Amino acid sequence: EGIDPSVEIIKPPGDFEEVTIPTWGRNKPQCLRRLAMFRRDAAQIFGERFVCMDIDCVVAGDLDPVFDVPNDLKIYGGNPHPRRPYAGGMMLLTAGARPHVYEKFSPDAAALAGRRFLGSDQAWLSAVLAPGEATWGPEDGVVWYGIEQPHAENCRVMFFHGTPKPDQMVLAGDEWVSRHYRAEPRGRCLMLGYAETVWDDALAAYAQYGRFDAVIISPEVAEHWTGPVLAVVADEDRAERVAAMHGYEPVWCGRASAEAMAA
């Protein structure tokens, strides 16, 4: 639900979904289902050549140079570490490459891999892939938030492993993330703030525009609003960042001055 209609949805095979690596921790994501990308028949499921990316990332530049490479496998280096030479956050494959990654897998072997390497699928990848596979890193504009040049101007894509996530950074007011982590323009958002004029302003806004594609409201307005809302946000600057993140043009009603907000 909530996926743009232009996106083709492919049902994943469901391989290894119930398998866990005990050393990775009960509350951490078990991503072994991604190993299905190494099946010999992957082309029938995903296509002849494909990329898998974690969704908790910020794309800040053109990705064509990142993916326009001849390798049959290229993988995110993941801030190279003796226990994490490869990370599963981004992988480019020609279908059928490295089928042993899938075919050698077993829960017992994965548990042993977890004792040597960090992660779930990335522990297994680190255990069975040969050293020296092609990887992306900061030199390619592929970085890890907080560790690898977090706000480098040449950054093309930034991954957020663990916390915080990009939407949290938008709410926190991070300028770089707020600039890049936003949807394409998709309509207007009615913004209902704190000022006493909020309801008169809202009537005028509806008279002018007829309808809105989303609504963001203050907690005070939330006590009286019965319609659907995109978000309830106390801080008006944060509310504007949330609207931009979702691709909406804000139309303010009852926006309080900085002096009134402080009072």
Side-chain angles (χ1 to χ4, degrees), residues 178-211:
S178 297
R179 177 161 30 111
H180 296 292
Y181 191 68
R182 56 178 61 200
E184 292 293 321
R186 61 198 313 185
R188 295 187 181 92
C189 183
L190 181 68
M191 314 285 284
L192 302 179
Y194 289 88
E196 294 180 356
T197 61
V198 60
W199 300 116
D200 291 336
D201 292 350
L203 288 173
Y206 273 106
Q208 180 177 355
Y209 296 108
R211 62 177 295 275

PDB file of all heavy atoms in Angstrom, residues 178-211:
ATOM      1  N   SER A 178      17.442  17.338   4.584  1.00  0.00           N
ATOM      2  CA  SER A 178      16.183  17.982   4.203  1.00  0.00           C
ATOM      3  C   SER A 178      16.200  18.431   2.747  1.00  0.00           C
ATOM      4  O   SER A 178      15.174  18.404   2.069  1.00  0.00           O
ATOM      5  CB  SER A 178      15.906  19.183   5.114  1.00  0.00           C
ATOM      6  OG  SER A 178      15.735  18.776   6.458  1.00  0.00           O
ATOM      7  N   ARG A 179      17.364  18.814   2.258  1.00  0.00           N
ATOM      8  CA  ARG A 179      17.476  19.283   0.873  1.00  0.00           C
ATOM      9  C   ARG A 179      17.281  18.155  -0.125  1.00  0.00           C
ATOM     10  O   ARG A 179      16.749  18.352  -1.210  1.00  0.00           O
ATOM     11  CB  ARG A 179      18.842  19.957   0.694  1.00  0.00           C
ATOM     12  CG  ARG A 179      19.129  20.434  -0.728  1.00  0.00           C
ATOM     13  CD  ARG A 179      20.239  21.482  -0.786  1.00  0.00           C
ATOM     14  NE  ARG A 179      21.222  21.339   0.247  1.00  0.00           N
ATOM     15  CZ  ARG A 179      22.494  20.955   0.021  1.00  0.00           C
ATOM     16  NH1 ARG A 179      22.886  20.611  -1.192  1.00  0.00           N
ATOM     17  NH2 ARG A 179      23.367  20.903   1.023  1.00  0.00           N
ATOM     18  N   HIS A 180      17.718  16.945   0.237  1.00  0.00           N
ATOM     19  CA  HIS A 180      17.729  15.854  -0.735  1.00  0.00           C
ATOM     20  C   HIS A 180      16.649  14.795  -0.497  1.00  0.00           C
ATOM     21  O   HIS A 180      16.276  14.091  -1.430  1.00  0.00           O
ATOM     22  CB  HIS A 180      19.096  15.165  -0.730  1.00  0.00           C
ATOM     23  CG  HIS A 180      20.210  16.050  -1.175  1.00  0.00           C
ATOM     24  ND1 HIS A 180      20.342  16.498  -2.466  1.00  0.00           N
ATOM     25  CD2 HIS A 180      21.251  16.593  -0.477  1.00  0.00           C
ATOM     26  CE1 HIS A 180      21.416  17.258  -2.564  1.00  0.00           C
ATOM     27  NE2 HIS A 180      21.977  17.331  -1.381  1.00  0.00           N
ATOM     28  N   TYR A 181      16.173  14.666   0.729  1.00  0.00           N
ATOM     29  CA  TYR A 181      15.222  13.587   1.045  1.00  0.00           C
ATOM     30  C   TYR A 181      13.807  14.125   0.876  1.00  0.00           C
ATOM     31  O   TYR A 181      13.154  14.534   1.838  1.00  0.00           O
ATOM     32  CB  TYR A 181      15.452  13.096   2.473  1.00  0.00           C
ATOM     33  CG  TYR A 181      14.718  11.809   2.809  1.00  0.00           C
ATOM     34  CD1 TYR A 181      15.078  10.611   2.212  1.00  0.00           C
ATOM     35  CD2 TYR A 181      13.683  11.796   3.732  1.00  0.00           C
ATOM     36  CE1 TYR A 181      14.426   9.428   2.523  1.00  0.00           C
ATOM     37  CE2 TYR A 181      13.024  10.614   4.051  1.00  0.00           C
ATOM     38  CZ  TYR A 181      13.399   9.443   3.445  1.00  0.00           C
ATOM     39  OH  TYR A 181      12.745   8.273   3.752  1.00  0.00           O
ATOM     40  N   ARG A 182      13.326  14.139  -0.364  1.00  0.00           N
ATOM     41  CA  ARG A 182      11.988  14.660  -0.631  1.00  0.00           C
ATOM     42  C   ARG A 182      11.436  14.023  -1.891  1.00  0.00           C
ATOM     43  O   ARG A 182      12.180  13.637  -2.794  1.00  0.00           O
ATOM     44  CB  ARG A 182      12.005  16.178  -0.757  1.00  0.00           C
ATOM     45  CG  ARG A 182      12.958  16.744  -1.798  1.00  0.00           C
ATOM     46  CD  ARG A 182      12.850  18.254  -1.869  1.00  0.00           C
ATOM     47  NE  ARG A 182      13.196  18.883  -0.607  1.00  0.00           N
ATOM     48  CZ  ARG A 182      12.837  20.107  -0.266  1.00  0.00           C
ATOM     49  NH1 ARG A 182      12.096  20.826  -1.082  1.00  0.00           N
ATOM     50  NH2 ARG A 182      13.192  20.621   0.886  1.00  0.00           N
ATOM     51  N   ALA A 183      10.132  13.925  -1.919  1.00  0.00           N
ATOM     52  CA  ALA A 183       9.462  13.331  -3.070  1.00  0.00           C
ATOM     53  C   ALA A 183       9.358  14.352  -4.200  1.00  0.00           C
ATOM     54  O   ALA A 183       9.565  15.560  -4.002  1.00  0.00           O
ATOM     55  CB  ALA A 183       8.074  12.857  -2.665  1.00  0.00           C
ATOM     56  N   GLU A 184       9.014  13.875  -5.381  1.00  0.00           N
ATOM     57  CA  GLU A 184       8.726  14.769  -6.490  1.00  0.00           C
ATOM     58  C   GLU A 184       7.487  15.599  -6.145  1.00  0.00           C
ATOM     59  O   GLU A 184       6.618  15.160  -5.391  1.00  0.00           O
ATOM     60  CB  GLU A 184       8.477  13.965  -7.765  1.00  0.00           C
ATOM     61  CG  GLU A 184       9.704  13.246  -8.296  1.00  0.00           C
ATOM     62  CD  GLU A 184      10.753  14.219  -8.795  1.00  0.00           C
ATOM     63  OE1 GLU A 184      10.389  15.234  -9.418  1.00  0.00           O
ATOM     64  OE2 GLU A 184      11.948  13.967  -8.549  1.00  0.00           O
ATOM     65  N   PRO A 185       7.376  16.813  -6.691  1.00  0.00           N
ATOM     66  CA  PRO A 185       6.177  17.642  -6.425  1.00  0.00           C
ATOM     67  C   PRO A 185       4.902  16.868  -6.748  1.00  0.00           C
ATOM     68  O   PRO A 185       4.787  16.249  -7.804  1.00  0.00           O
ATOM     69  CB  PRO A 185       6.375  18.836  -7.367  1.00  0.00           C
ATOM     70  CG  PRO A 185       7.855  18.936  -7.549  1.00  0.00           C
ATOM     71  CD  PRO A 185       8.356  17.515  -7.539  1.00  0.00           C
ATOM     72  N   ARG A 186       3.958  16.913  -5.805  1.00  0.00           N
ATOM     73  CA  ARG A 186       2.748  16.095  -5.987  1.00  0.00           C
ATOM     74  C   ARG A 186       1.468  16.805  -5.577  1.00  0.00           C
ATOM     75  O   ARG A 186       0.410  16.175  -5.482  1.00  0.00           O
ATOM     76  CB  ARG A 186       2.906  14.801  -5.198  1.00  0.00           C
ATOM     77  CG  ARG A 186       3.064  15.020  -3.716  1.00  0.00           C
ATOM     78  CD  ARG A 186       3.644  13.839  -2.997  1.00  0.00           C
ATOM     79  NE  ARG A 186       3.050  12.582  -3.337  1.00  0.00           N
ATOM     80  CZ  ARG A 186       3.359  11.439  -2.735  1.00  0.00           C
ATOM     81  NH1 ARG A 186       4.267  11.424  -1.774  1.00  0.00           N
ATOM     82  NH2 ARG A 186       2.788  10.317  -3.082  1.00  0.00           N
ATOM     83  N   GLY A 187       1.513  18.104  -5.282  1.00  0.00           N
ATOM     84  CA  GLY A 187       0.284  18.804  -4.947  1.00  0.00           C
ATOM     85  C   GLY A 187       0.458  19.741  -3.773  1.00  0.00           C
ATOM     86  O   GLY A 187       1.577  20.076  -3.371  1.00  0.00           O
ATOM     87  N   ARG A 188      -0.668  20.173  -3.208  1.00  0.00           N
ATOM     88  CA  ARG A 188      -0.668  21.138  -2.113  1.00  0.00           C
ATOM     89  C   ARG A 188      -1.031  20.458  -0.796  1.00  0.00           C
ATOM     90  O   ARG A 188      -1.834  19.529  -0.753  1.00  0.00           O
ATOM     91  CB  ARG A 188      -1.662  22.267  -2.382  1.00  0.00           C
ATOM     92  CG  ARG A 188      -1.324  23.140  -3.578  1.00  0.00           C
ATOM     93  CD  ARG A 188      -2.267  24.330  -3.643  1.00  0.00           C
ATOM     94  NE  ARG A 188      -1.969  25.165  -4.784  1.00  0.00           N
ATOM     95  CZ  ARG A 188      -2.536  25.026  -5.979  1.00  0.00           C
ATOM     96  NH1 ARG A 188      -3.443  24.064  -6.165  1.00  0.00           N
ATOM     97  NH2 ARG A 188      -2.214  25.820  -6.970  1.00  0.00           N
ATOM     98  N   CYS A 189      -0.452  21.004   0.271  1.00  0.00           N
ATOM     99  CA  CYS A 189      -0.741  20.508   1.617  1.00  0.00           C
ATOM    100  C   CYS A 189      -1.303  21.645   2.455  1.00  0.00           C
ATOM    101  O   CYS A 189      -0.690  22.719   2.562  1.00  0.00           O
ATOM    102  CB  CYS A 189       0.538  19.969   2.256  1.00  0.00           C
ATOM    103  SG  CYS A 189       0.293  19.241   3.898  1.00  0.00           S
ATOM    104  N   LEU A 190      -2.464  21.433   3.048  1.00  0.00           N
ATOM    105  CA  LEU A 190      -3.056  22.398   3.962  1.00  0.00           C
ATOM    106  C   LEU A 190      -2.332  22.326   5.293  1.00  0.00           C
ATOM    107  O   LEU A 190      -2.247  21.263   5.909  1.00  0.00           O
ATOM    108  CB  LEU A 190      -4.545  22.088   4.157  1.00  0.00           C
ATOM    109  CG  LEU A 190      -5.322  23.040   5.076  1.00  0.00           C
ATOM    110  CD1 LEU A 190      -5.447  24.411   4.438  1.00  0.00           C
ATOM    111  CD2 LEU A 190      -6.703  22.464   5.393  1.00  0.00           C
ATOM    112  N   MET A 191      -1.795  23.452   5.751  1.00  0.00           N
ATOM    113  CA  MET A 191      -1.017  23.518   6.986  1.00  0.00           C
ATOM    114  C   MET A 191      -1.805  24.323   8.016  1.00  0.00           C
ATOM    115  O   MET A 191      -2.045  25.528   7.820  1.00  0.00           O
ATOM    116  CB  MET A 191       0.331  24.184   6.723  1.00  0.00           C
ATOM    117  CG  MET A 191       1.055  23.686   5.482  1.00  0.00           C
ATOM    118  SD  MET A 191       1.802  22.074   5.684  1.00  0.00           S
ATOM    119  CE  MET A 191       3.231  22.495   6.669  1.00  0.00           C
ATOM    120  N   LEU A 192      -2.240  23.695   9.076  1.00  0.00           N
ATOM    121  CA  LEU A 192      -3.061  24.343  10.096  1.00  0.00           C
ATOM    122  C   LEU A 192      -2.236  24.556  11.354  1.00  0.00           C
ATOM    123  O   LEU A 192      -1.855  23.595  12.025  1.00  0.00           O
ATOM    124  CB  LEU A 192      -4.295  23.494  10.397  1.00  0.00           C
ATOM    125  CG  LEU A 192      -5.204  23.207   9.187  1.00  0.00           C
ATOM    126  CD1 LEU A 192      -6.374  22.332   9.587  1.00  0.00           C
ATOM    127  CD2 LEU A 192      -5.692  24.508   8.559  1.00  0.00           C
ATOM    128  N   GLY A 193      -1.952  25.828  11.664  1.00  0.00           N
ATOM    129  CA  GLY A 193      -1.052  26.159  12.756  1.00  0.00           C
ATOM    130  C   GLY A 193      -1.748  26.592  14.027  1.00  0.00           C
ATOM    131  O   GLY A 193      -2.864  26.155  14.335  1.00  0.00           O
ATOM    132  N   TYR A 194      -1.103  27.517  14.754  1.00  0.00           N
ATOM    133  CA  TYR A 194      -1.527  27.877  16.098  1.00  0.00           C
ATOM    134  C   TYR A 194      -2.307  29.182  16.191  1.00  0.00           C
ATOM    135  O   TYR A 194      -2.992  29.431  17.178  1.00  0.00           O
ATOM    136  CB  TYR A 194      -0.291  28.018  16.999  1.00  0.00           C
ATOM    137  CG  TYR A 194       0.396  26.721  17.328  1.00  0.00           C
ATOM    138  CD1 TYR A 194       1.389  26.216  16.497  1.00  0.00           C
ATOM    139  CD2 TYR A 194       0.053  25.998  18.465  1.00  0.00           C
ATOM    140  CE1 TYR A 194       2.031  25.020  16.794  1.00  0.00           C
ATOM    141  CE2 TYR A 194       0.683  24.808  18.776  1.00  0.00           C
ATOM    142  CZ  TYR A 194       1.675  24.317  17.936  1.00  0.00           C
ATOM    143  OH  TYR A 194       2.302  23.135  18.229  1.00  0.00           O
ATOM    144  N   ALA A 195      -2.196  30.051  15.215  1.00  0.00           N
ATOM    145  CA  ALA A 195      -2.795  31.380  15.340  1.00  0.00           C
ATOM    146  C   ALA A 195      -4.318  31.300  15.407  1.00  0.00           C
ATOM    147  O   ALA A 195      -4.937  30.358  14.889  1.00  0.00           O
ATOM    148  CB  ALA A 195      -2.359  32.249  14.159  1.00  0.00           C
ATOM    149  N   GLU A 196      -4.924  32.292  16.030  1.00  0.00           N
ATOM    150  CA  GLU A 196      -6.376  32.291  16.218  1.00  0.00           C
ATOM    151  C   GLU A 196      -7.126  32.367  14.898  1.00  0.00           C
ATOM    152  O   GLU A 196      -8.310  32.020  14.833  1.00  0.00           O
ATOM    153  CB  GLU A 196      -6.775  33.462  17.118  1.00  0.00           C
ATOM    154  CG  GLU A 196      -6.263  33.337  18.554  1.00  0.00           C
ATOM    155  CD  GLU A 196      -6.686  34.514  19.404  1.00  0.00           C
ATOM    156  OE1 GLU A 196      -7.306  35.459  18.839  1.00  0.00           O
ATOM    157  OE2 GLU A 196      -6.404  34.500  20.619  1.00  0.00           O
ATOM    158  N   THR A 197      -6.448  32.818  13.852  1.00  0.00           N
ATOM    159  CA  THR A 197      -7.108  32.958  12.553  1.00  0.00           C
ATOM    160  C   THR A 197      -7.165  31.648  11.763  1.00  0.00           C
ATOM    161  O   THR A 197      -7.579  31.637  10.608  1.00  0.00           O
ATOM    162  CB  THR A 197      -6.356  34.003  11.702  1.00  0.00           C
ATOM    163  OG1 THR A 197      -4.993  33.536  11.497  1.00  0.00           O
ATOM    164  CG2 THR A 197      -6.323  35.356  12.409  1.00  0.00           C
ATOM    165  N   VAL A 198      -6.746  30.535  12.372  1.00  0.00           N
ATOM    166  CA  VAL A 198      -6.562  29.298  11.622  1.00  0.00           C
ATOM    167  C   VAL A 198      -7.824  28.865  10.880  1.00  0.00           C
ATOM    168  O   VAL A 198      -7.758  28.477   9.700  1.00  0.00           O
ATOM    169  CB  VAL A 198      -6.055  28.168  12.552  1.00  0.00           C
ATOM    170  CG1 VAL A 198      -7.013  27.877  13.687  1.00  0.00           C
ATOM    171  CG2 VAL A 198      -5.760  26.903  11.743  1.00  0.00           C
ATOM    172  N   TRP A 199      -9.001  28.953  11.520  1.00  0.00           N
ATOM    173  CA  TRP A 199     -10.205  28.442  10.865  1.00  0.00           C
ATOM    174  C   TRP A 199     -10.681  29.382   9.769  1.00  0.00           C
ATOM    175  O   TRP A 199     -11.111  28.929   8.696  1.00  0.00           O
ATOM    176  CB  TRP A 199     -11.301  28.209  11.891  1.00  0.00           C
ATOM    177  CG  TRP A 199     -10.898  27.211  12.937  1.00  0.00           C
ATOM    178  CD1 TRP A 199     -10.730  27.425  14.277  1.00  0.00           C
ATOM    179  CD2 TRP A 199     -10.568  25.835  12.712  1.00  0.00           C
ATOM    180  NE1 TRP A 199     -10.315  26.285  14.897  1.00  0.00           N
ATOM    181  CE2 TRP A 199     -10.216  25.272  13.979  1.00  0.00           C
ATOM    182  CE3 TRP A 199     -10.538  25.007  11.592  1.00  0.00           C
ATOM    183  CZ2 TRP A 199      -9.837  23.943  14.127  1.00  0.00           C
ATOM    184  CZ3 TRP A 199     -10.164  23.685  11.742  1.00  0.00           C
ATOM    185  CH2 TRP A 199      -9.820  23.170  12.997  1.00  0.00           C
ATOM    186  N   ASP A 200     -10.590  30.712   9.998  1.00  0.00           N
ATOM    187  CA  ASP A 200     -10.942  31.656   8.940  1.00  0.00           C
ATOM    188  C   ASP A 200      -9.989  31.505   7.757  1.00  0.00           C
ATOM    189  O   ASP A 200     -10.415  31.537   6.595  1.00  0.00           O
ATOM    190  CB  ASP A 200     -10.893  33.099   9.476  1.00  0.00           C
ATOM    191  CG  ASP A 200     -12.011  33.388  10.469  1.00  0.00           C
ATOM    192  OD1 ASP A 200     -13.042  32.686  10.408  1.00  0.00           O
ATOM    193  OD2 ASP A 200     -11.848  34.301  11.284  1.00  0.00           O
ATOM    194  N   ASP A 201      -8.702  31.317   8.063  1.00  0.00           N
ATOM    195  CA  ASP A 201      -7.722  31.126   6.992  1.00  0.00           C
ATOM    196  C   ASP A 201      -8.006  29.848   6.213  1.00  0.00           C
ATOM    197  O   ASP A 201      -7.853  29.799   4.986  1.00  0.00           O
ATOM    198  CB  ASP A 201      -6.307  31.053   7.577  1.00  0.00           C
ATOM    199  CG  ASP A 201      -5.842  32.370   8.168  1.00  0.00           C
ATOM    200  OD1 ASP A 201      -6.526  33.386   7.970  1.00  0.00           O
ATOM    201  OD2 ASP A 201      -4.789  32.374   8.842  1.00  0.00           O
ATOM    202  N   ALA A 202      -8.432  28.798   6.923  1.00  0.00           N
ATOM    203  CA  ALA A 202      -8.720  27.524   6.262  1.00  0.00           C
ATOM    204  C   ALA A 202      -9.905  27.656   5.319  1.00  0.00           C
ATOM    205  O   ALA A 202      -9.886  27.127   4.191  1.00  0.00           O
ATOM    206  CB  ALA A 202      -8.980  26.441   7.299  1.00  0.00           C
ATOM    207  N   LEU A 203     -10.954  28.358   5.742  1.00  0.00           N
ATOM    208  CA  LEU A 203     -12.104  28.573   4.869  1.00  0.00           C
ATOM    209  C   LEU A 203     -11.692  29.331   3.611  1.00  0.00           C
ATOM    210  O   LEU A 203     -12.128  29.003   2.500  1.00  0.00           O
ATOM    211  CB  LEU A 203     -13.192  29.345   5.624  1.00  0.00           C
ATOM    212  CG  LEU A 203     -13.945  28.563   6.713  1.00  0.00           C
ATOM    213  CD1 LEU A 203     -14.861  29.498   7.491  1.00  0.00           C
ATOM    214  CD2 LEU A 203     -14.744  27.424   6.089  1.00  0.00           C
ATOM    215  N   ALA A 204     -10.837  30.342   3.789  1.00  0.00           N
ATOM    216  CA  ALA A 204     -10.376  31.110   2.639  1.00  0.00           C
ATOM    217  C   ALA A 204      -9.521  30.246   1.707  1.00  0.00           C
ATOM    218  O   ALA A 204      -9.598  30.356   0.479  1.00  0.00           O
ATOM    219  CB  ALA A 204      -9.578  32.334   3.119  1.00  0.00           C
ATOM    220  N   ALA A 205      -8.710  29.363   2.304  1.00  0.00           N
ATOM    221  CA  ALA A 205      -7.853  28.497   1.495  1.00  0.00           C
ATOM    222  C   ALA A 205      -8.680  27.529   0.672  1.00  0.00           C
ATOM    223  O   ALA A 205      -8.391  27.293  -0.510  1.00  0.00           O
ATOM    224  CB  ALA A 205      -6.882  27.743   2.401  1.00  0.00           C
ATOM    225  N   TYR A 206      -9.724  26.957   1.276  1.00  0.00           N
ATOM    226  CA  TYR A 206     -10.582  26.037   0.534  1.00  0.00           C
ATOM    227  C   TYR A 206     -11.351  26.773  -0.561  1.00  0.00           C
ATOM    228  O   TYR A 206     -11.571  26.231  -1.654  1.00  0.00           O
ATOM    229  CB  TYR A 206     -11.539  25.324   1.477  1.00  0.00           C
ATOM    230  CG  TYR A 206     -10.965  24.077   2.090  1.00  0.00           C
ATOM    231  CD1 TYR A 206     -10.573  24.048   3.422  1.00  0.00           C
ATOM    232  CD2 TYR A 206     -10.807  22.913   1.331  1.00  0.00           C
ATOM    233  CE1 TYR A 206     -10.030  22.896   3.993  1.00  0.00           C
ATOM    234  CE2 TYR A 206     -10.276  21.766   1.884  1.00  0.00           C
ATOM    235  CZ  TYR A 206      -9.890  21.761   3.213  1.00  0.00           C
ATOM    236  OH  TYR A 206      -9.354  20.608   3.763  1.00  0.00           O
ATOM    237  N   ALA A 207     -11.737  28.023  -0.270  1.00  0.00           N
ATOM    238  CA  ALA A 207     -12.430  28.801  -1.290  1.00  0.00           C
ATOM    239  C   ALA A 207     -11.504  29.089  -2.471  1.00  0.00           C
ATOM    240  O   ALA A 207     -11.951  29.115  -3.629  1.00  0.00           O
ATOM    241  CB  ALA A 207     -12.940  30.111  -0.687  1.00  0.00           C
ATOM    242  N   GLN A 208     -10.217  29.273  -2.194  1.00  0.00           N
ATOM    243  CA  GLN A 208      -9.265  29.585  -3.259  1.00  0.00           C
ATOM    244  C   GLN A 208      -8.847  28.356  -4.058  1.00  0.00           C
ATOM    245  O   GLN A 208      -8.792  28.391  -5.292  1.00  0.00           O
ATOM    246  CB  GLN A 208      -8.025  30.257  -2.669  1.00  0.00           C
ATOM    247  CG  GLN A 208      -6.972  30.615  -3.710  1.00  0.00           C
ATOM    248  CD  GLN A 208      -5.775  31.335  -3.111  1.00  0.00           C
ATOM    249  OE1 GLN A 208      -5.759  31.666  -1.914  1.00  0.00           O
ATOM    250  NE2 GLN A 208      -4.774  31.602  -3.936  1.00  0.00           N
ATOM    251  N   TYR A 209      -8.554  27.236  -3.345  1.00  0.00           N
ATOM    252  CA  TYR A 209      -7.969  26.073  -4.014  1.00  0.00           C
ATOM    253  C   TYR A 209      -8.958  24.920  -4.237  1.00  0.00           C
ATOM    254  O   TYR A 209      -8.691  24.026  -5.042  1.00  0.00           O
ATOM    255  CB  TYR A 209      -6.774  25.548  -3.204  1.00  0.00           C
ATOM    256  CG  TYR A 209      -5.635  26.534  -3.119  1.00  0.00           C
ATOM    257  CD1 TYR A 209      -5.350  27.188  -1.927  1.00  0.00           C
ATOM    258  CD2 TYR A 209      -4.846  26.820  -4.230  1.00  0.00           C
ATOM    259  CE1 TYR A 209      -4.302  28.090  -1.841  1.00  0.00           C
ATOM    260  CE2 TYR A 209      -3.801  27.725  -4.158  1.00  0.00           C
ATOM    261  CZ  TYR A 209      -3.532  28.366  -2.957  1.00  0.00           C
ATOM    262  OH  TYR A 209      -2.506  29.263  -2.877  1.00  0.00           O
ATOM    263  N   GLY A 210     -10.051  24.902  -3.504  1.00  0.00           N
ATOM    264  CA  GLY A 210     -11.047  23.852  -3.702  1.00  0.00           C
ATOM    265  C   GLY A 210     -10.764  22.572  -2.945  1.00  0.00           C
ATOM    266  O   GLY A 210     -11.641  22.018  -2.293  1.00  0.00           O
ATOM    267  N   ARG A 211      -9.530  22.071  -3.008  1.00  0.00           N
ATOM    268  CA  ARG A 211      -9.168  20.831  -2.333  1.00  0.00           C
ATOM    269  C   ARG A 211      -7.668  20.829  -2.072  1.00  0.00           C
ATOM    270  O   ARG A 211      -6.914  21.603  -2.656  1.00  0.00           O
ATOM    271  CB  ARG A 211      -9.540  19.606  -3.174  1.00  0.00           C
ATOM    272  CG  ARG A 211      -8.801  19.552  -4.513  1.00  0.00           C
ATOM    273  CD  ARG A 211      -9.129  18.285  -5.285  1.00  0.00           C
ATOM    274  NE  ARG A 211      -8.656  17.101  -4.597  1.00  0.00           N
ATOM    275  CZ  ARG A 211      -7.422  16.628  -4.699  1.00  0.00           C
ATOM    276  NH1 ARG A 211      -6.513  17.254  -5.452  1.00  0.00           N
ATOM    277  NH2 ARG A 211      -7.061  15.542  -4.049  1.00  0.00           N
TER     278      ARG A 211
END
